[in-house]
Amino acid sequence: MHRTSIFSCFHQSSKSFLLYKKDVSAFPFPFQKSSAMLISLKQKSSGGRRPKKKIYHRVHELDRVMDLQKKPSLILHLKAIIQSQKHQHLLLRNLEKQVGFVQKWNFMAVIEKYPSIFHVGADSRAPPFVTLTEKARKVANEEAEARELMEPILVKNLRKLLMMAVDCRLPLEKIEFIENELGLPQDFKKSLIPKYPEFFSVKDVSGKAYLHLENWDSTLAVTVREERLTSEGVTLSNPPKKKVRISKDGNFLGPFAFKMCFPTGFRPNANYLDELERWHRLEFPSPYLNARRFEVADPKARKRVVAVLHELLSLTMEKRLNSIQLDAFHSEYLLPSRLLLCLIKHHGIFYMTNKGARSTVFLKEAYDGSHLIDKCPLLLFRDKFVGLSGRREINPCNEVASSPFSF
């Protein structure tokens, strides 16, 4: 039986949200005046008084990410369809079979709008067809090199995903569910997994195929958060001095701190910062330790959940997952039943947008405005291909400063 996702409720109800400008002190972390939307959440009875509304601040730059990806996703999808054809061209009359009647018109508009990428041809022996232009074909050939550069990154990230799971295993169907977000090839079960028998094995568990971790590597049991702190000169063996205080933007220099990215115009008050500083200082176990060892009600275990979500999003290419995908990993990572509240409470770390067909959860620190800061080789290739349309998605500073292997 399929259970109703808590994120689905959020997505449906968010369509009727109103802007709200008042401070709501009942929220776990008090909010200040900012662009926000109302969120109706069940509360205990208040003796006949109407319960106060919770507020959730929008980040318009991250909302915009969802709009910016629409045209590129159509371009890349059509490219993949054309390349999958035997003769590298697709008859226009067969487009509906590939994408459906409704989507066909969106793809037809893309074909017409971007002649620099797609060429429509016809001759006396064949009906009209679409293929890649010569320039687009040359750029498309670079995908093989990008995939080759991605392989060690994918193997490492798959191992880390398995190491975080409670039994060091994940259902193959759930990995397939996020294969595009991880950057895995569609045939990864045949082309990637068998190449690394020292790391992976596929076993049947109660009639379901699971990907198992073959050996534990302690050098991989280091989170992206810890790597960032190490680069800043902060380690677990170097606790912060007493005089170190939290800054007004919510950031704190300490071994158990998370980077905060509050919305523009958000001004936390003194009580908020005091509570946030205590939370930053709170020690918590690594996401790579088995979650069954910890009591759910323990504050340290609750903070560990934040670290698990942070690491899970960090291992995806674009540092985001839609709500259904994130919800699918409840049992493997022992995520809390009130996951929606966890994400809302830690709005300085995560952002949830209701833009698109599904609500999507972003790791905020991974973005500078609407731009992803670090891009893997596959994303750099996709940006280059989409750039043929005249649309430039790459942040210029990333081309010089960012390493594709910082993924």
Side-chain angles (χ1 to χ4, degrees), residues 384-398:
K384 185 174 182 179
F385 187 85
V386 172
L388 294 173
S389 67
R391 173 175 176 163
R392 190 168 181 81
E393 295 292 340
I394 300 177
N395 189 346
C397 66
N398 290 340

Side-chain angles (χ1 to χ4, degrees), residues 204-232:
D204 185 274
V205 179
S206 302
K208 184 182 292 187
Y210 277 74
L211 184 64
H212 285 247
L213 182 71
E214 284 299 296
N215 61 73
W216 181 274
D217 188 346
S218 58
T219 63
L220 294 181
V222 180
T223 64
V224 173
R225 182 195 69 88
E226 291 171 318
E227 291 174 352
R228 177 182 62 81
L229 289 176
T230 299
S231 69
E232 296 174 355

Side-chain angles (χ1 to χ4, degrees), residues 138-153 376-378 381 384 405:
K138 288 180 180 179
V139 176
N141 290 335
E142 298 177 18
E143 184 173 3
E145 181 181 356
R147 290 284 183 185
E148 186 176 346
L149 292 173
M150 281 295 294
E151 188 165 310
I153 299 173
C376 64
L378 186 56
F381 159 75
K384 185 174 182 179
F405 296 99

